[in-house]
Amino acid sequence: MMMHGVPIKHLNTFGIDVTAKQIVTACSETELVACWQEAKEKSLPVLLLGGGSNVLFLEDFAGILLLNRLMGVSVTEDKNAWHIHAGAGEDWHELVSFTLDRGMAGLENLALIPGRTGSAPIQNIGAYGVELEKVCEYVDLIDLTNGVNKRLSAAECRFGYRDSIFKHDYRDGYAIVAVGFILNKSWRPVLTYGDLTRLDSKRVTPREVFDTVCAMRRAKLPDPAVVGNAGSFFKNPLVSADVAQNLLRHYPEAPHYPQPSGEVKLAAGWLIDQCAMKGFRLGAAAVHEKQALVLINGGQATGGDIAALAMYVRRQVAEKFTVWLEPEVRFIAAEGEVDAVGVLS
């Protein structure tokens, strides 16, 4: 199905009122490849889009917005684990609910993360102590130049903190078509964050973890259907042990999480909050009053308004803590994705 000159406000959770030259919904690999190749023949930029939950459109998009809607979920199992194969177009939260409804635990900490399944490995999504790499078995992608399929094991995906090979080697000219998950039957709850720490690890059920995660997210994060936002706007910064130690000397209460690499992860939301930024407005853009890590469209904000607010927040944190935050959200200009840090510098 092809549409021309359709506004894409409804296709990005920030609710930025911009347009694309064309919108194409692809429900098969053949359609994905055909659309991409046709766009290249016409020298038009192409943007693959899932749920539009992690993008900020800075202006009208001059090319084709290609919506990946490859669907389907299948399950196999062995004595140790369930193996789930999910199409890239499947709604992520619905997939989490699907597995839990069928007694397959392991995705519950990742409940209510907006977006489509195909976007999950790109960002290596994570929440409340669990990241996608922990449950990913493989990722299937297609070379849009020739239609050839390729399966990458989880190890080959080079997962990092909000990072993967799909942001680098397979960023252009490839599309994720499906993701494979492995959920161990010997389930162990991850109860290291927030209200989850209050649950009894010996008695808790996957459903109770799921419900607690949903309650926490709903309490702190605005519903994109009501208030335009892209969830967490900035990454939690990774700093050296020396930088963390120096910060903790001045702010011993600062949340911090030592990493296997020797670095220390800081809480970006806490850093912003310490700058008294909750509820701060800059034009039609604002910092959410309940969660400082979330920037919102407070009305008719443009992508430029959101970027200007992000730049201001970033500088306030840097001045107070000498820590530079990096956006988790992808910035999209007329010709495609641009360097978000560069835009804010």
Side-chain angles (χ1 to χ4, degrees):
M1 179 176 62
M2 185 173 291
M3 296 175 284
H4 296 262
V6 180
I8 57 175
K9 181 178 181 179
H10 64 296
L11 294 175
N12 70 98
T13 60
F14 254 123
I16 304 298
D17 193 5
V18 288
T19 63
K21 186 176 181 65
Q22 277 184 10
I23 300 173
V24 177
T25 301
C27 299
S28 70
E29 294 180 14
T30 301
E31 290 177 335
L32 274 176
V33 172
C35 173
W36 191 88
Q37 293 184 353
E38 181 182 351
K40 291 303 173 183
E41 289 173 4
K42 296 179 178 178
S43 298
L44 288 173
V46 184
L47 178 66
L48 279 162
L49 196 68
S53 60
N54 198 50
V55 294
L56 175 66
F57 284 96
L58 301 174
E59 55 191 328
D60 290 337
F61 185 61
I64 296 176
L65 202 63
L66 181 54
L67 306 182
N68 187 336
R69 296 295 182 263
L70 276 65
M71 310 299 283
V73 179
S74 60
V75 181
T76 58
E77 65 177 296
D78 54 41
K79 66 177 183 178
N80 297 316
W82 292 283
H83 304 267
I84 296 99
H85 180 90
E90 292 287 341
D91 180 88
W92 174 256
H93 179 68
E94 289 181 9
L95 178 65
V96 175
S97 298
F98 172 91
T99 57
L100 205 57
D101 289 345
R102 287 156 181 78
M104 299 179 287
L107 300 181
E108 57 283 339
N109 290 59
L110 303 176
L112 272 187
I113 295 178
R116 303 276 172 162
T117 298
S119 300
I122 299 173
Q123 196 72 358
N124 188 19
I125 61 170
Y128 303 109
V130 175
E131 293 190 331
L132 184 89
E133 62 181 305
K134 181 179 179 180
V135 292
C136 181
E137 187 169 22
Y138 59 80
V139 175
D140 288 344
L141 69 159
I142 191 167
D143 185 332
L144 296 170
T145 62
N146 55 26
V148 174
N149 291 82
K150 184 180 183 69
R151 173 167 291 185
L152 299 183
S153 67
E156 291 174 315
C157 291
R158 297 209 314 248
F159 288 123
Y161 176 58
R162 300 297 171 268
D163 195 27
S164 70
I165 197 170
F166 308 107
K167 286 189 172 183
H168 307 284
D169 299 32
Y170 296 110
R171 174 176 168 175
D172 299 315
Y174 294 86
I176 291 174
V177 295
V179 184
F181 303 92
I182 181 168
L183 304 182
N184 200 307
K185 290 183 177 179
S186 58
W187 177 73
R188 292 183 180 180
V190 179
L191 309 174
T192 52
Y193 284 78
D195 293 343
L196 293 174
T197 60
R198 301 188 179 97
L199 301 178
D200 185 343
S201 62
K202 296 180 180 179
R203 298 184 178 182
V204 70
T205 66
R207 177 64 63 180
E208 288 172 331
V209 174
F210 174 88
D211 290 342
T212 302
V213 167
C214 289
M216 285 192 292
R217 292 189 73 90
R218 288 184 174 121
K220 292 183 177 181
L221 304 175
D223 183 351
V226 180
V227 178
N229 74 94
S232 299
F233 193 91
F234 293 102
K235 300 176 185 178
N236 289 321
L238 291 171
V239 299
S240 68
D242 289 342
V243 169
Q245 190 174 24
N246 183 58
L247 185 144
L248 290 168
R249 275 199 294 267
H250 297 89
Y251 304 93
E253 75 284 4
H256 59 288
Y257 310 95
Q259 303 296 299
S261 63
E263 294 176 300
V264 178
K265 183 188 293 184
L266 304 177
W270 185 88
L271 297 172
I272 299 169
D273 194 15
Q274 295 307 300
C275 297
M277 296 294 293
K278 277 184 180 175
F280 178 82
R281 297 183 68 92
L282 192 63
V287 178
H288 192 247
E289 58 187 15
K290 292 183 179 179
Q291 172 53 271
L293 193 51
V294 176
L295 305 188
I296 64 172
N297 180 349
Q300 300 299 315
T302 65
D305 293 335
I306 302 292
L309 174 62
M311 181 185 294
Y312 182 77
V313 169
R314 188 170 183 261
R315 287 178 177 172
Q316 292 298 111
V317 169
E319 287 178 11
K320 188 175 182 69
F321 297 105
T322 321
V323 174
W324 288 95
L325 299 180
E326 295 187 5
E328 183 174 321
V329 174
R330 298 167 59 202
F331 284 27
I332 311 298
E335 299 292 322
E337 186 171 0
V338 292
D339 175 37
V341 172
V343 172
L344 302 185
S345 298

